[in-house]
Amino acid sequence: MLPTLIVYCVFIILPIIIAIYYSFTRYSGIGKARFTGLSNYVRLFKDEVFWVSLKNTLIIFILAFVLLLTLSFLIALLLNNKLKGTGLSKALIFSPAIIAPIIVGIIWVYILDPNVGIINNILDALNLDMLKQKWIGGETLSPYSIAVIYFWQQLGYLVTIFVAGLKMIPEEVLEAVKIDGANGWQRIRYVIIPMMKSTISNVAVLIITGVFKIFEIVQQTTGGGPNHLSETLVTYSYSTTFTSGDYGYGMSLATVTFILSLVITGIYSFLTREKEGERK
């Protein structure tokens, strides 16, 4: 385990510690950092763009978490049945997961862009101008569109994990409860879900950590605009650090994002442990 631990500490733990240190400094990335204490965090909580990016991130998180956790599980249940066309369906559902995020952003720009996007052009052709929206680049719908794009990209990957988890459930158990008279919903509620608790928890953690790392999709579709209204915590941290050259403040944004991801993951883990304890 020692070589793995060394690599993990050097490439994961050490950069986190360095980033946290720089969050307490005023640093442009060149020269010597000047320690300023909590000034970056005081500035952060007074920053309107930070609160906008936090709101957008939470909107994306809630929508993507609910859609991905529920629909990926339900689709996995369907694909786990021995029906015609399941092989082709698995390939089609999984295919977006192998596309680079930057390419995903380009694809969806041609779908959602208010001017050249397919959706608005179809609505225009159908004389439904009243339904045309600024799906991306507007003041309100951008985070919702980003959540849908992220859902589309990640669905196949998470479905694959759930299908693998379903394959681990012994057929004898499912046959036994079926013989005992359990209907489809009862088999899912009392047998499949309890036996897949660890898989569901792993998928939930992947969704939580994944949402807080969304970057390429936002950069490609909106670039954080207009006027930072579609920024997420990650994109705002990036633009502050590498565009504005305010490395210290950018690292404070990154640190808050990291802590928020840890807190939400910890809350979810705590709640699921409590539920397991109650069942026992």
Side-chain angles (χ1 to χ4, degrees):
M1 291 294 291
L2 184 59
T4 304
L5 182 61
I6 292 173
V7 171
Y8 183 78
C9 289
V10 171
F11 291 101
I12 304 294
I13 302 299
L14 185 59
I16 291 174
I17 294 173
I18 293 172
I20 293 173
Y21 165 74
Y22 278 122
S23 72
F24 295 101
T25 66
R26 185 175 181 83
Y27 183 47
S28 64
I30 301 174
K32 187 177 181 181
R34 181 166 60 87
F35 185 78
T36 57
L38 295 173
S39 61
N40 284 328
Y41 292 95
V42 173
R43 173 187 169 187
L44 183 147
F45 287 105
K46 294 180 180 179
D47 186 354
E48 291 184 4
V49 179
F50 165 73
W51 292 109
V52 170
S53 63
L54 176 61
K55 182 193 74 173
N56 291 337
T57 302
L58 293 178
I59 289 172
I60 295 170
F61 164 70
I62 293 170
L63 190 57
F65 186 85
V66 172
L67 289 176
L68 281 172
L69 194 61
T70 55
L71 293 183
S72 60
F73 179 70
L74 293 176
I75 292 172
L77 288 173
L78 292 174
L79 295 179
N80 193 48
N81 294 321
K82 297 177 181 179
L83 302 173
K84 290 183 179 180
T86 53
L88 178 61
S89 298
K90 288 178 183 178
L92 291 174
I93 292 172
F94 184 74
S95 57
I98 63 175
I99 303 174
I102 196 72
I103 303 300
V104 170
I106 294 173
I107 292 170
W108 281 88
V109 164
Y110 286 103
I111 297 174
L112 298 175
D113 186 89
N115 300 315
V116 300
I118 293 173
I119 292 180
N120 277 359
N121 283 330
I122 291 174
L123 292 174
D124 189 39
L126 296 174
N127 293 320
L128 297 174
D129 292 354
M130 72 291 297
L131 298 178
K132 293 170 64 176
Q133 302 289 334
K134 286 189 175 181
W135 307 106
I136 55 175
E139 297 182 1
T140 56
L141 293 180
S142 291
Y144 299 95
S145 297
I146 297 299
V148 171
I149 297 171
Y150 184 72
F151 164 78
W152 178 81
Q153 182 196 21
Q154 294 295 314
L155 179 65
Y157 174 60
L158 300 180
V159 166
T160 303
I161 296 175
F162 274 129
V163 170
L166 290 169
K167 296 293 184 186
M168 299 296 291
I169 300 176
E171 286 288 338
E172 296 80 5
V173 174
L174 297 176
E175 287 295 331
V177 296
K178 188 176 181 180
I179 292 171
D180 286 340
N183 58 34
W185 165 246
Q186 289 171 331
R187 290 197 297 273
I188 294 172
R189 171 68 178 83
Y190 297 107
V191 178
I192 294 176
I193 291 178
M195 295 188 73
M196 290 187 64
K197 286 184 294 187
S198 60
T199 303
I200 293 171
S201 295
N202 290 336
V203 168
V205 171
L206 286 174
I207 295 171
I208 294 169
T209 55
V211 167
F212 283 93
K213 294 189 295 182
I214 294 175
F215 174 74
E216 296 96 333
I217 294 173
V218 179
Q219 284 292 101
Q220 188 60 45
T221 53
T222 68
N227 196 27
H228 297 290
L229 289 175
S230 62
E231 294 275 18
T232 63
L233 289 173
V234 174
T235 60
Y236 187 40
S237 174
Y238 173 84
S239 64
T240 301
T241 304
F242 298 105
T243 303
S244 302
D246 197 344
Y247 195 92
Y249 187 54
M251 290 303 98
S252 68
L253 288 164
T255 301
V256 169
T257 306
F258 172 69
I259 293 173
L260 188 60
S261 177
L262 280 183
V263 168
I264 293 177
T265 303
I267 291 172
Y268 175 82
S269 300
F270 174 77
L271 292 176
T272 52
R273 280 199 302 267
E274 285 294 306
K275 291 179 181 179
E276 290 172 12
E278 289 173 5
R279 290 192 190 104
K280 294 177 182 179

